Amino acid sequence: MSAVPMDWLDIPKIPVGPTAKAGFDWLKAHLGWLFDGLAAIMEALIDAILWMLQTPHPLIVIAAFVALTWALQRNWKTCLLVLAGFLFILNQDYWEETTESLTLVLSSCVVCMAIGVPLGIAAAHRPRLYDWMRPVLDLMQTLPTFVYLIPAIVFFGIGMVPGLIATVIFVLPAPIRLTHLGISTTPPALLEAATAFGATPRQVLWKVELPWAVPQIMAGLNQTIMLSLSMVVIAALVGASGLGVPVVRALNSVNTALGFEAGFIIVVVAIVLDRMLRVERK
């Protein structure tokens, strides 16, 4: 069968690409000062976290993570798992790359939770706002992650900052959606009881809705960490240092040993952080 000719349609191509390029060019020309300021803030955050992770002796940092795990979980088995995971990373000589990846992950957590939790609360209290946000969040989650790297490079150059920006754009929907879920599913009986006792809307939020939503918010934090780790390799393509660098190097040189080592370290980091921050409603 011959192909059906499409010339009869004669419909001009919708200029999606040129329109996006024109928009990026306009933003770069008129809001360059804003992007420079954001880059400076992001760099300061990255440098601060990197300093905290790399300046002390690795065993001191590991002890701090174990202590944090005990404070959050009160489970010696989880603490032992965290200790074993970090000691394994130290044994494999990937400590520096791990701290660099943790810096990217923790930075994205700070930014995403600072933006996502308030937006999730606002969306839960204003259903119409969430209706407007939903298609945007869907787009942010479904657009190929490599596409985020292009405007990140255009606005922020090469390095950790564009990797962080691309990670934040990809990860941000998770804390927004889960915070919205936690706040919006607060039992009406609790809200009615608080209102009956004279609680103000702010008191209802801080003493009823947020405590009820803590498991969902912590799940949002957990998802933020896991999704950020999934961006480690992609961020390495724009100059972000960390565990993604040896993975990319192994891919370019078809080095199975190096690729498996770095990939397994990423898995260990993901398991350790997941067990540290897992919170269930009692």
Side-chain angles (χ1 to χ4, degrees):
M1 294 179 64
S2 59
V4 179
M6 302 298 291
D7 295 341
W8 62 274
L9 292 175
D10 197 23
I11 299 175
K13 182 180 178 180
I14 300 174
V16 176
T19 302
K21 182 180 183 302
F24 289 137
D25 291 341
W26 186 91
L27 289 173
K28 187 177 181 180
H30 294 83
L31 297 178
W33 58 271
L34 176 61
F35 297 120
D36 291 340
L38 286 175
I41 294 173
M42 297 298 180
E43 285 179 359
L45 176 63
I46 290 170
D47 291 341
I49 296 177
L50 197 59
W51 181 86
M52 288 189 296
L53 292 176
Q54 290 190 343
T55 302
H57 191 277
L59 294 179
I60 296 177
V61 178
I62 293 173
F65 274 103
V66 173
L68 178 61
T69 304
W70 175 257
L72 293 174
Q73 301 294 337
R74 299 291 178 178
N75 188 322
W76 66 268
K77 294 181 181 179
T78 306
C79 293
L80 186 61
L81 175 65
V82 171
L83 176 62
F86 279 118
L87 290 178
F88 174 77
I89 293 170
L90 202 59
N91 172 264
Q92 295 296 302
D93 198 23
Y94 278 89
W95 181 253
E96 182 177 353
E97 292 85 354
T98 299
T99 55
E100 291 168 345
S101 292
L102 282 174
T103 298
L104 181 63
V105 170
L106 294 177
S107 299
S108 65
C109 286
V110 171
V111 176
C112 289
M113 298 305 287
I115 298 174
V117 172
L119 283 179
I121 293 172
H125 290 161
R126 298 169 180 83
R128 189 183 296 268
L129 173 63
Y130 188 66
D131 291 338
W132 283 94
M133 290 172 57
R134 187 183 292 116
V136 178
L137 298 178
D138 292 339
L139 178 65
M140 292 169 66
Q141 286 186 305
T142 56
L143 196 66
T145 52
F146 287 97
V147 177
Y148 297 139
L149 301 181
I150 302 172
I153 294 174
V154 170
F155 296 139
F156 301 101
I158 299 295
M160 290 286 281
V161 173
L164 174 59
I165 296 298
T167 301
V168 167
I169 296 174
F170 176 66
V171 174
L172 187 58
I176 294 177
R177 290 184 187 276
L178 287 167
T179 301
H180 170 269
L181 175 65
I183 298 295
S184 60
T185 56
T186 305
L190 291 179
L191 300 176
E192 292 172 1
T195 304
F197 281 100
T200 64
R202 177 172 296 184
Q203 290 173 328
V204 170
L205 173 64
W206 285 97
K207 297 185 177 182
V208 178
E209 291 179 328
L210 283 177
W212 177 266
V214 163
Q216 283 76 20
I217 294 174
M218 292 301 294
L221 176 60
N222 186 286
Q223 287 299 302
T224 299
I225 291 172
M226 296 301 109
L227 292 172
S228 299
L229 279 172
S230 72
M231 288 289 289
V232 163
V233 177
I234 297 175
L237 299 177
V238 294
S241 52
L243 292 169
V245 174
V247 173
V248 173
R249 190 184 305 126
L251 180 63
N252 292 332
S253 60
V254 197
N255 189 331
T256 306
L258 179 62
F260 185 81
E261 279 182 0
F264 193 72
I265 294 297
I266 294 174
V267 173
V268 171
V269 173
I271 292 174
V272 166
L273 295 178
D274 176 71
R275 297 302 185 270
M276 283 180 60
L277 298 172
R278 180 172 294 182
V279 175
E280 299 177 358
R281 179 176 285 116
K282 298 179 180 180

